[in-house]
Amino acid sequence: TLSSAACLSIAWGYLRHGRFQGPRIVSAAGPGRRAAGLALQSLGLVGFAQLPPKLQIPVALGGTAAAPPIAGAASAAATPAPPAPKIRARCPIDFTPADVPSDGVYGLKRVTRH
């Protein structure tokens, strides 16, 4: 009932007082106001850009995946091919915090024995 009363009061206020009236926008009177608006908006966007986590390449090359020797193959074959690099897929967003302890155990991985 309260939400119905709130909606009815908004509808009554709009139909009684706000019909055919657009929003009132205060025009920027001079270059000082425009410069202040640009500076504040830029500061807000720079601050907002610091919120998301760090991005990283979603593929990691690490170590080598040496192919096991084929049984029954001639051991006197030509020079063996170099081992191919091991490719790992990883998340493109790095959620690792900046203050990870040296032992690497943090967050949910840390177990307490209380």
Side-chain angles (χ1 to χ4, degrees):
T1 58
L2 290 178
S3 62
S4 299
C7 288
L8 286 174
S9 69
I10 291 170
W12 179 80
Y14 172 73
L15 294 174
R16 176 83 167 100
H17 301 289
R19 211 175 216 184
F20 303 116
Q21 295 179 7
R24 296 180 184 163
I25 299 173
V26 178
S27 65
R33 274 187 157 177
R34 288 180 191 250
L38 180 67
L40 289 174
Q41 188 172 10
S42 299
L43 183 66
L45 289 173
V46 167
F48 186 71
Q50 303 302 314
L51 289 177
K54 181 176 70 169
L55 298 178
Q56 62 186 1
I57 298 174
V59 177
L61 298 175
T64 56
I70 299 173
S75 61
T79 59
K86 187 176 179 183
I87 298 175
R88 296 184 303 124
R90 61 182 183 176
C91 182
I93 301 174
D94 185 15
F95 292 107
T96 307
D99 56 348
V100 176
S102 61
D103 62 356
V105 180
Y106 65 94
L108 294 175
K109 296 178 184 176
R110 185 170 298 280
V111 177
T112 58
R113 298 182 181 147
H114 294 359

